[in-house]
Amino acid sequence: FNMENSKSTRSNTGYKGVVFDKQRGLFRAQLAVRLIRFQTVRAIYIGEYSTLKEAVKAREDFIKSLF
């Protein structure tokens, strides 16, 4: 998956699907899923991690588990 490590303009970490929660001091991993039937986008919560590396790896592992 080349998009896994792609830079994102919406993420404050530079990694797609991983954001830093300043209040909690944790990195949150999530995955956006487009529901074509309902024409909406839903976020799937993967987890919160103390390091950016852990959050990116968790998101990558979650995506791999889907296929």
Side-chain angles (χ1 to χ4, degrees), residues 27-41:
F27 293 91
R28 183 173 55 247
Q30 55 195 17
L31 179 67
V33 177
R34 183 180 305 168
L35 302 174
I36 297 172
R37 181 176 177 184
F38 302 109
Q39 297 182 356
T40 60
V41 176

Side-chain angles (χ1 to χ4, degrees), residues 31-66:
L31 179 67
V33 177
R34 183 180 305 168
L35 302 174
I36 297 172
R37 181 176 177 184
F38 302 109
Q39 297 182 356
T40 60
V41 176
R42 292 274 176 123
I44 297 175
Y45 173 81
I46 298 170
E48 292 180 328
Y49 304 89
S50 57
T51 68
L52 175 60
K53 186 176 180 178
E54 289 175 320
V56 171
K57 182 171 179 355
R59 186 175 187 275
E60 290 174 353
D61 291 346
F62 181 81
I63 291 171
K64 287 177 185 175
S65 75
L66 296 175

